Amino acid sequence: MPDVLLDGRTLRVTEGTSVAAALALAGDGCTRTSVSGQRRAPLCGMGICQECRVTIDGRRRLACQTLCREGMHVETHP
Ligand code: FES
């Protein structure tokens, strides 16, 4: 069961949990803030809409297409 760091909070998830699911488990499920200041969250869950972009270990990734790994750092407020 990997431990991931979500905006500074540690969360233990089961193997195979996507980052999008981990964010939903940890709180409101939001992944980023739009240029107009609105919080955004995953929409399609299959890599199409790009609404789930987050920063994972310093790189922009799709939360719905990325599985949690031990020690992963996820930021929704880069
Ligand atoms: S939720 Fe649409 S690309 Fe991830």
Side-chain angles (χ1 to χ4, degrees):
M1 301 221 318
D3 286 336
V4 296
L5 202 60
L6 303 175
D7 290 328
R9 286 180 42 205
T10 301
L11 180 71
R12 179 164 290 167
V13 297
T14 56
E15 293 288 340
T17 300
S18 71
V19 172
L23 288 167
L25 288 170
D28 64 4
C30 288
T31 52
R32 64 188 184 92
T33 303
S34 72
V35 292
S36 61
Q38 295 176 314
R39 294 291 285 153
R40 309 301 293 191
L43 180 64
C44 71
M46 58 185 185
I48 304 295
C49 72
Q50 309 286 304
E51 292 289 356
C52 65
R53 294 188 305 271
V54 292
T55 302
I56 298 175
D57 296 333
R59 303 181 75 175
R60 298 297 278 172
R61 300 276 187 216
L62 296 178
C64 73
Q65 299 296 301
T66 306
L67 297 181
C68 292
R69 286 180 278 102
E70 178 66 33
M72 176 183 271
H73 287 222
V74 179
E75 297 170 78
T76 65
H77 304 280

